[in-house]
Amino acid sequence: MNFFFSSPLMLSAFSAVPALIAIYLLRNRFRTQVVSSLILWIDQRRARQGGLQISRIQAPLLFLIELLIIILLVLAAAGPLIKAGSETRVFVIVLDDSFSMLAGDGTTARQRAVEAVVRLLKESGRFNARFIIAGKQAQLLGTSARTISQANELLEQWRCLSGTADLSRAVALAAELAGRTARILVVTDHKAEVDFEQGRLEWWSFGKPLANVAFVNATRTRADDKERCLLTVANLSDKSARTTLTILLLDKSQKLLEKSLELEAGSESRIFFEPQAGTGALRAVLGDDALDIDNEVILLPEQDRAVRLQVSIKDEALESAVKRAVDATKLAVQSSIEPDILITDSAGADFTSVRRWILRILSEPNASSYIGPFVTDRTHPLTEGLWLKDVIWTAAESSDYTGSVIISAGNIPLLTDRLLPSGTHSITMQLAPELSNLTLSANWPVLFWNLLKWRKASLPGFVQSNYKLNSTVTFTADSTEMDVVLTDPQNRTRQISGAANTVVIEPEMPGLYKLKAGDKEHLFSVNAVAKSESNLMGSAGGKWGKWQQAYVFWWEYRSMDWLLLLGVLVLLTAHRFLTAQQQKGAAV
Amino acid sequence: MNESYRRYLLEGQNAGIRYGIGCPRTVQRGLVGSHLGNRSGSSLEFMDHREYIAGDDLRRIDWNAFARSDKLSIKLYRDEVSPHLDIIIDCSRSMALADSEKGRAALGLAAVFAQAAGNSDYSFTAWQVRGTCERVLNGSDRPVLWEGVEFDSDISCEQSFRRQMPQWRPRGLRVLLSDLLWLGEPHSSLCILADRASAVFVVQILAQQDVEPPQRGNIRLKDCETLQQKDIFIDAVAQNRYRKNLAAHQYNWNRACRQLGAVMTTVVAERIVEQWKLDELVRAEILKVL
């Protein structure tokens, strides 16, 4: 806005105008009295005190001058500020990147928002705008834009494909970037939920409450050599809806299932589907509605990622206990060929394999039993869910174990972990099964569940094949030589480097991703399943907050007080001149 | 004539029963010159000497006195008075000012003078000044029989006198009942009134609202005769200025009356009609209590 009042409350002084009008009206109201003659009043002269002859013909000019004086004084008191033409306006614009911005019946919220932002920048004259994308994380979008074309280029990168929008964090980042000099604008599709900084932040929402039917969950799992798909379809509106669910093979577009769904308002429908063994990637599609992105999911078959385990324990009782625990987890298969993990009670285990982890369970001859208290490193993956109360654990005092201590009894290490240069782990446990009840407690299978799960997470490939939008995808390579190329659903490729043999990917859009690591190609899918974003009934349009507290941006404005006061002085002089002339005329 | 006016006349007639004309004192009755005037005139009764002033009748120079004192002096003789009273009523609109008793007082006083004249064996004639000075119908009869008196004139007595010279009786007494509120030199009116009169009485009748200016505030004054309007803010200063103007106006008339040998007095209508006590006129020796 080009014009502000720094103290708009002072405009209430305009109430003096009716008072002035009332004075003039009352002054010109006369009580009529019939008199015998006017001769005794004829020689009344204009005097400073009583007896002033009143002429209404002269009043309007003085009245108008007085009226103008009051108006100018009130305006001056309100502190008028006019935008200085040469100042550059600084904006930090937070863009809601959630996919709900793509909803619309005709034009999307994103399109309306882009038009409004561009219009704002055009009306601001000289500007310097920075854009922050508010997705799962807040991130700056390029450099600052100083022209409309630069702004348009940056706004084209705003694609609204995130599964969530952390606007609070983005606003906090914007506030840090803005400092004292910038206006913060939040562009979204729902109403304001943050506290406004006085006069600094405006919240523009371009959403509309629309009905939407969407996938809110999609999973594909393998159990007992069978695959099973679970799809959850929700009617996110206040009216019943009908849609068609179609499941196809992704590569051949062959229909495997077509089903009509009747959904009550706000209800969800769960569809189970069991593809035949060996079925490749599936694509499930719903009918068109206000938001298209959540009408399609891609489900890839789960990869076979069982941990290969070799148990080499001489003590039969201990071996039996270990195997029972391993079998209970169903996370591992026993294999002596390139095992992923070796469990042994031999101290001189072989460390030559670059992939194999080792768990050594050592029974020292001079071991003592301990009933606690046990000191546990709860941040270690092996300790998740352990509860060592009433556990009797044996260990030798003089044992010398390297690596970080995971569980200890005082200063006696019971379980240690050593990270080897190859990236594998060597875990050592002191245990004499005949003196301990650990193998008989519930902690025993928990310990092996943790071990196998930890090992499985570090197996080559992806942990799972199907991800939700905004999930973090972790890929583990076979070797430490990382030469990974990622191809996104729009067939754009980029090379990714990671730490050790692990690559972390933040998918930016739903669809099928390909990752080439060495000679192998891996697939994973990302689906836009987020009920909170698919629910458009909470969307709203409007503006919250005001930038017009001009004192925050005082450097952009010029005060006009002096001009108004100058006008008041001129008018006062004219008023004095006119009244003096009238008195002089009356005296003559 | 308005019946209320006749009632006013009756009130005055009744009030005038105990009064007589106070000046001049009665010497003889029935003849011209049977009453001695208070001023010098043309009768044969010597009254006094005075120094000659250019323009005096040369026939009245006392040559014997000139021989004795070497100074020209004039013999003054007592004026001859005709025992007749002309009652001149100002019939301008201001005399019937709304919300005042001026009209009632004017008619009542005219009737008082008529009754007093009768009590003093004076003949009388009532005149009304309405554009011209004209006789009141039955104006020499008892006041209750007068006809045609209306307060509707919008011009002053002076203008009326000048339009047509009034046919008042020479050497008679004349009494003017008016509020005297018009612009102009009092002399010009009084000279006409006093011409060939043996005595002139001027009774100024004011309403209470003429004496006391309006209260504080914005007042639109409306002249009841000219219908002119004037918007004035009145406060204590304005009220004092009005009172000063009224006093100055009365002073001018008083001075002119003294210069021409007339007697002037002012009465407030509301006080007069309250009990018809005419002490002011008695003190001024216009009337006397019988």
Side-chain angles (χ1 to χ4, degrees):
Chain A
M1 193 173 287
N2 295 325
F3 187 77
F4 285 116
F5 288 110
S6 60
S7 307
L9 280 179
M10 295 305 294
L11 294 177
S12 60
F14 271 125
S15 57
V17 172
L20 178 68
I21 294 172
I23 288 170
Y24 268 85
L25 286 177
L26 292 174
R27 193 181 175 194
N28 287 330
R29 283 182 61 187
F30 295 91
R31 178 163 47 93
T32 300
Q33 179 160 343
V34 179
V35 295
S36 299
S37 175
L38 290 177
I39 61 166
L40 300 176
W41 301 98
I42 280 175
D43 59 347
Q44 292 287 350
R45 294 292 183 259
R46 291 189 179 278
R48 289 179 185 276
Q49 293 175 308
L52 185 67
Q53 277 194 357
I54 299 163
S55 170
R56 276 179 294 169
I57 296 172
Q58 297 164 356
L61 184 56
L62 287 178
F63 170 71
L64 286 176
I65 290 175
E66 289 166 7
L67 190 64
L68 275 174
I69 289 173
I70 287 178
I71 290 172
L72 292 179
L73 279 176
V74 171
L75 290 177
L81 298 170
I82 288 182
K83 184 180 177 250
S86 60
E87 290 296 332
T88 298
R89 282 195 174 181
V90 182
F91 294 97
V92 178
I93 301 173
V94 175
L95 305 170
D96 183 343
D97 198 45
S98 63
F99 62 74
S100 61
M101 290 293 290
L102 298 176
D105 48 356
T107 59
T108 65
R110 179 191 173 279
Q111 290 169 329
R112 293 192 292 274
V114 168
E115 289 174 7
V117 169
V118 171
R119 189 164 55 247
L120 167 72
L121 296 178
K122 283 180 179 174
E123 290 171 355
S124 299
R126 297 174 60 183
F127 67 87
N128 182 356
R130 303 203 74 176
F131 296 93
I132 294 176
I133 294 288
K136 182 183 175 185
Q137 293 177 332
Q139 54 184 342
L140 271 172
L141 186 62
T143 56
S144 60
R146 295 177 181 274
T147 64
I148 296 297
S149 60
Q150 288 176 348
N152 279 325
E153 285 176 12
L154 289 174
L155 286 170
E156 282 175 7
Q157 299 177 39
W158 177 34
R159 290 177 293 180
C160 301
L161 294 172
S162 296
T164 185
D166 192 347
L167 288 173
S168 299
R169 191 169 293 177
V171 169
L173 175 61
E176 284 183 26
L177 282 175
R180 289 177 57 251
T181 60
R183 289 169 166 79
I184 300 172
L185 172 64
V186 178
V187 178
T188 182
D189 62 348
H190 57 84
K191 62 183 182 181
E193 294 172 350
V194 299
D195 294 331
F196 291 100
E197 193 179 350
Q198 187 74 16
R200 301 286 303 281
L201 188 146
E202 280 199 13
W203 183 289
W204 294 2
S205 177
F206 299 91
K208 289 179 181 175
L210 296 169
N212 186 31
V213 177
F215 287 112
V216 294
N217 192 24
T219 59
R220 183 172 177 176
T221 56
R222 178 193 299 241
D224 301 330
D225 295 331
K226 282 188 177 179
E227 282 199 311
R228 185 173 293 172
C229 297
L230 170 61
L231 299 169
T232 306
V233 180
N235 175 16
L236 302 167
S237 71
D238 52 3
K239 293 177 182 175
S240 60
R242 173 183 293 177
T243 189
T244 303
L245 168 66
T246 309
I247 300 177
L248 321 98
L249 286 175
L250 180 65
D251 50 354
K252 299 176 182 175
S253 299
Q254 178 190 347
K255 279 185 188 175
L256 300 180
L257 177 70
E258 186 169 34
K259 186 177 183 181
S260 178
L261 300 177
E262 293 281 348
L263 297 165
E264 295 296 318
S267 68
E268 294 182 355
S269 176
R270 294 180 180 82
I271 299 99
F272 293 93
F273 177 72
E274 291 185 354
Q276 293 180 348
T279 304
L282 298 175
R283 180 169 165 255
V285 183
L286 293 174
D288 291 340
D289 53 22
L291 185 58
D292 293 334
I293 193 171
D294 57 6
N295 292 339
E296 178 180 338
V297 292
I298 296 173
L299 295 172
L300 296 173
E302 284 293 305
Q303 300 296 317
D304 182 10
R305 287 169 55 83
V307 178
R308 288 193 295 276
L309 174 72
Q310 180 183 4
V311 179
S312 177
I313 299 175
K314 294 174 184 173
D315 187 325
E316 291 182 359
L318 180 60
E319 180 185 26
S320 173
V322 169
K323 285 187 175 177
R324 274 202 320 273
V326 169
D327 290 342
T329 63
K330 295 187 178 180
L331 295 174
V333 292
Q334 298 212 16
S335 172
S336 57
I337 304 170
E338 292 188 3
D340 297 314
I341 185 165
L342 168 65
I343 301 176
T344 182
D345 56 356
S346 169
D350 175 17
F351 293 106
T352 55
S353 175
V354 294
R355 288 183 52 185
R356 189 179 62 198
W357 291 20
I358 295 178
L359 169 61
R360 291 181 300 161
I361 304 174
L362 301 180
S363 178
E364 298 289 343
N366 55 347
S368 301
S369 297
Y370 296 94
I371 58 170
F374 302 105
V375 180
T376 306
D377 178 5
R378 286 292 176 187
T379 61
H380 199 277
L382 285 180
T383 61
E384 184 179 351
L386 286 182
W387 183 248
L388 300 177
K389 187 180 180 187
D390 298 332
V391 168
I392 301 170
W393 203 317
T394 54
E397 289 185 21
S398 58
S399 300
D400 182 17
Y401 295 103
T402 58
S404 58
V405 177
I406 303 169
I407 300 172
S408 67
N411 60 348
I412 310 298
L414 304 176
L415 185 65
T416 59
D417 172 27
R418 184 157 61 99
L419 180 63
L420 302 177
S422 61
T424 60
H425 288 264
S426 172
I427 304 156
T428 303
M429 178 191 298
Q430 284 201 76
L431 182 68
E434 66 276 11
L435 299 176
S436 170
N437 65 355
L438 178 64
T439 57
L440 302 175
S441 73
N443 293 290
W444 187 249
V446 171
L447 195 61
F448 282 89
W449 171 275
N450 290 342
L451 175 64
L452 296 173
K453 189 180 174 189
W454 183 23
R455 181 66 187 98
K456 184 179 181 181
S458 57
L459 288 176
F462 296 106
V463 175
Q464 61 192 70
S465 299
N466 303 304
Y467 293 88
K468 290 183 179 180
L469 200 58
N470 286 348
S471 299
T472 299
V473 179
T474 305
F475 175 77
T476 305
D478 281 339
S479 65
T480 54
E481 292 180 5
M482 297 295 294
D483 184 14
V484 173
V485 176
L486 180 70
T487 305
D488 68 12
Q490 295 181 348
N491 283 327
R492 295 177 301 183
T493 58
R494 60 190 164 111
Q495 192 159 0
I496 301 175
S497 57
N501 57 346
T502 301
V503 172
V504 176
I505 302 164
E506 297 286 351
E508 295 175 344
M509 64 184 72
L512 187 64
Y513 287 79
K514 294 176 185 173
L515 187 142
K516 192 174 182 183
D519 297 333
K520 292 183 180 177
E521 188 173 82
H522 305 267
L523 296 176
F524 70 95
S525 72
V526 176
N527 297 313
V529 282
K531 187 174 181 181
S532 59
E533 291 300 325
S534 294
N535 189 352
L536 305 175
M537 296 305 291
S539 297
K543 292 185 179 181
W544 290 265
K546 284 287 182 187
W547 284 331
Q548 65 183 21
Q549 282 84 351
Y551 61 89
V552 179
F553 309 105
W554 57 267
W555 55 85
E556 295 179 6
Y557 293 88
R558 296 285 180 268
S559 172
M560 300 303 293
D561 294 358
W562 64 273
L563 193 58
L564 296 172
L565 292 175
L566 193 63
V568 168
L569 281 176
V570 171
L571 288 171
L572 281 174
T573 307
H575 189 276
R576 181 73 189 108
F577 176 76
L578 286 174
T579 50
Q581 287 293 107
Q582 286 177 2
Q583 287 173 359
K584 190 188 293 181
V588 171
Chain B
M1 193 172 72
N2 193 327
E3 280 307 309
S4 58
Y5 290 175
R6 198 174 305 285
R7 195 171 62 248
Y8 300 158
L9 288 170
L10 183 59
E11 283 180 10
Q13 184 177 314
N14 293 335
I17 287 174
R18 61 192 184 101
Y19 293 105
I21 299 300
C23 177
R25 58 186 169 84
T26 301
V27 179
Q28 295 174 357
R29 69 171 58 173
L31 296 171
V32 172
S34 61
H35 289 254
L36 292 178
N38 281 336
R39 63 179 188 176
S40 59
S42 57
S43 70
L44 296 176
E45 186 178 352
F46 175 75
M47 191 172 71
D48 199 357
H49 279 96
R50 71 164 171 80
E51 199 169 330
Y52 172 77
I53 301 172
D56 285 345
D57 189 351
L58 294 177
R59 293 176 296 179
R60 297 203 175 180
I61 294 176
D62 187 350
W63 298 108
N64 293 329
F66 176 70
R68 289 193 297 272
S69 62
D70 204 19
K71 287 183 179 177
L72 286 175
S73 57
I74 297 293
K75 281 184 175 179
L76 297 178
Y77 299 89
R78 190 174 293 275
D79 193 16
E80 292 179 76
V81 176
S82 173
H84 178 80
L85 178 66
D86 287 312
I87 303 166
I88 303 148
I89 306 168
D90 180 358
C91 285
S92 62
R93 288 198 192 105
S94 65
M95 290 301 290
L97 182 65
D99 301 326
S100 79
E101 301 284 3
K102 281 173 80 175
R104 181 182 176 188
L107 289 175
L109 282 176
V112 165
F113 278 108
Q115 183 62 40
N119 294 344
S120 301
D121 295 328
Y122 278 48
S123 60
F124 62 87
T125 302
W127 302 77
Q128 58 179 338
V129 186
R130 296 171 62 195
T132 59
C133 187
E134 57 192 38
R135 286 175 188 274
V136 173
L137 192 60
N138 302 329
S140 296
D141 290 335
R142 286 181 298 154
V144 291
L145 300 177
W146 293 354
E147 293 287 350
V149 179
E150 296 292 343
F151 295 100
D152 56 2
S153 174
D154 55 0
I155 62 174
S156 68
C157 289
E158 181 186 350
Q159 290 172 310
S160 298
F161 292 162
R162 291 187 181 283
R163 279 186 179 181
Q164 185 179 347
M165 288 303 290
Q167 301 300 311
W168 299 317
R169 183 176 294 187
R171 291 186 296 280
L173 303 182
R174 293 168 193 169
V175 58
L176 172 63
L177 302 172
S178 170
D179 55 10
L180 306 180
L181 295 177
W182 67 81
L183 272 179
E185 185 60 36
H187 271 97
S188 56
S189 304
L190 285 175
C191 284
I192 297 171
L193 189 65
D195 181 43
R196 296 190 297 164
S198 59
V200 174
F201 305 132
V202 176
V203 180
Q204 185 184 31
I205 303 170
L206 295 177
Q208 187 63 38
Q209 57 184 281
D210 292 330
V211 178
E212 282 301 320
Q215 293 300 308
R216 186 184 183 88
N218 280 343
I219 304 290
R220 173 165 298 152
L221 299 172
K222 186 176 180 181
D223 192 314
C224 64
E225 292 179 8
T226 63
L227 301 182
Q228 285 182 332
Q229 294 182 351
K230 190 173 289 293
D231 296 336
I232 291 181
F233 174 70
I234 292 180
D235 62 355
V237 177
Q239 290 170 337
N240 288 336
R241 190 175 297 113
Y242 175 87
R243 292 189 190 101
K244 282 182 181 176
N245 287 340
L246 177 61
H249 187 70
Q250 288 175 318
Y251 173 78
N252 288 338
W253 274 91
N254 263 312
R255 188 178 61 179
C257 286
R258 281 198 305 274
Q259 288 173 349
L260 294 174
V263 176
M264 176 182 163
T265 189
T266 299
V267 295
V268 177
E270 283 76 7
R271 289 184 218 148
I272 287 290
V273 302
E274 197 172 351
Q275 291 184 340
W276 291 104
K277 285 187 176 179
L278 306 174
D279 297 341
E280 293 100 330
L281 299 179
V282 173
R283 278 197 296 273
E285 297 180 350
I286 298 173
L287 291 177
K288 64 181 179 184
V289 180
L290 295 179

